[in-house]
Amino acid sequence: MAEIRHRVGINGSADAIYRLLTTDEGLARWWTTDTSGAGEPGSVIHFRFGDDGPRFEVVELVADRLVRWRHQGELPEAWMGTEVRFRIDAEEQQTIVNFSHANWRLADDFLAHCSTKWAMFMMSLKAAIETGRGKPFPDDVHIDFDE
Amino acid sequence: MAEIRHRVGINGSADAIYRLLTTDEGLARWWTTDTSGAGEPGSVIHFRFGDDGPRFEVVELVADRLVRWRHQGELPEAWMGTEVRFRIDAEEQQTIVNFSHANWRLADDFLAHCSTKWAMFMMSLKAAIETGRGKPFPDDVHIDFDE
């Protein structure tokens, strides 16, 4: 199984970051403005990028520490069976976010694309906290000309 | 073995991108300004980030298509045994760069850090071609407060 990993240090509290990972309003500030369904474990969050987009079930929440999602549905197909995890670690001068998108069947070109794109969104999360302005879809950073 | 992958689409020719991956002057425009030793297979490139930095042996070059490096020496230790590969694919409206940093023993926090950092440098390579101005060290994008 292949995995995408990222790690950023954010000048902000674990609590503020946790809210951006667990509420529709928070997620809309860094991933896609069209987000609905965030809530307790068992909730299914729908992230729309234009017409449609992926759904994730919230599978584990530890306040200010951990967020885990399991992919739901068939969109995109390559994400079926994958899991996303955000681990939040408060350090002395910053709060670390460790990101993982795991259980990919193939480390193919689409994984490579998603890896770069997740890095842009981790930087968007960082900017949303530090400057008040992230870059969620449809204002996301484009990494190629097919987007 | 764990692997970092990235993929960007660049508005530029395969030839121009290949030069930025195979010459000291080119590499200095997007990874670190202090680069020396680039050349034919067997060459050892030394990338310095301040006092020191990693060395890679050029192991394979296919003009405008492929660049492969094998890590040399012991800096950083986690990169020992790893390989870097850039695959260049000319498409109709852009040129794709597929990046891999493979053969990591552990998918640990340092891999996660390097994954995000490589994404910044792939965007730096893209900008160096498209705008004439990349963000090589020491003007690189910081992803945390330990850098």
Side-chain angles (χ1 to χ4, degrees), chain A residues 19-33 35 38 45 47 69 86 136:
Chain A
R19 267 180 282 135
L20 261 59
L21 299 174
T22 52
T23 62
D24 290 343
E25 301 73 34
L27 292 158
R29 289 183 53 205
W30 65 272
W31 196 18
T32 170
T33 54
T35 297
I45 318 178
F47 299 97
W69 300 336
F86 303 88

Side-chain angles (χ1 to χ4, degrees), chain B residues 2-110:
Chain B
E3 182 181 12
I4 293 167
R5 294 219 38 198
H6 288 298
R7 184 178 188 275
V8 293
I10 299 179
N11 185 10
S13 68
D15 170 60
I17 294 166
Y18 184 76
R19 267 181 282 134
L20 261 59
L21 299 174
T22 53
T23 63
D24 290 343
E25 301 73 35
L27 291 159
R29 289 182 54 205
W30 65 272
W31 197 17
T32 169
T33 54
D34 194 349
T35 299
S36 60
E40 295 302 305
S43 308
V44 175
I45 318 178
H46 193 176
F47 300 97
R48 285 180 198 81
F49 297 81
D51 289 341
D52 210 341
R55 293 167 198 262
F56 282 96
E57 179 186 353
V58 179
V59 290
E60 187 176 4
L61 295 178
V62 180
D64 305 345
R65 297 296 301 275
L66 181 71
V67 173
R68 280 181 51 223
W69 302 335
R70 187 181 298 130
H71 185 257
Q72 291 287 313
E74 304 185 347
L75 198 69
E77 197 181 332
W79 287 16
M80 290 173 70
T82 62
E83 293 205 1
V84 164
R85 187 203 66 212
F86 303 88
R87 206 179 72 225
I88 305 169
D89 293 316
E91 294 190 349
E92 208 162 298
Q93 59 170 346
Q94 62 185 336
T95 304
I96 300 291
V97 176
N98 262 292
F99 169 87
S100 159
H101 187 179
N103 295 341
W104 288 68
R105 270 171 302 164
L106 292 173
D108 60 4
D109 287 356
F110 183 59

Side-chain angles (χ1 to χ4, degrees), chain A residues 3 5-11 87 91 93-94 98 107-109 111-113 115-116 119-120 123 126 130 141-146, chain B residues 3 5-11 87 91 93-94 98 107-109 111-113 115-116 119-120 123 126 130 141-146:
Chain A
E3 181 180 13
R5 294 218 39 197
H6 288 298
R7 183 178 187 277
V8 293
I10 300 179
N11 184 11
R87 206 180 70 227
E91 295 190 348
Q93 61 171 343
Q94 62 185 335
N98 263 291
D108 59 5
D109 287 357
L111 177 142
H113 166 86
S115 176
T116 310
M120 300 301 119
M123 294 304 280
K126 177 173 164 69
E130 294 179 352
V141 177
H142 287 200
I143 63 171
D144 61 45
F145 293 85
D146 298 323
Chain B
E3 182 181 12
R5 294 219 38 198
H6 288 298
R7 184 178 188 275
V8 293
I10 299 179
N11 185 10
R87 206 179 72 225
E91 294 190 349
Q93 59 170 346
Q94 62 185 336
N98 262 292
D108 60 4
D109 287 356
L111 176 143
H113 166 84
S115 176
T116 310
M120 299 303 118
M123 295 305 280
K126 178 173 163 71
E130 293 179 353
V141 176
H142 287 201
I143 62 172
D144 60 47
F145 294 85
D146 299 323

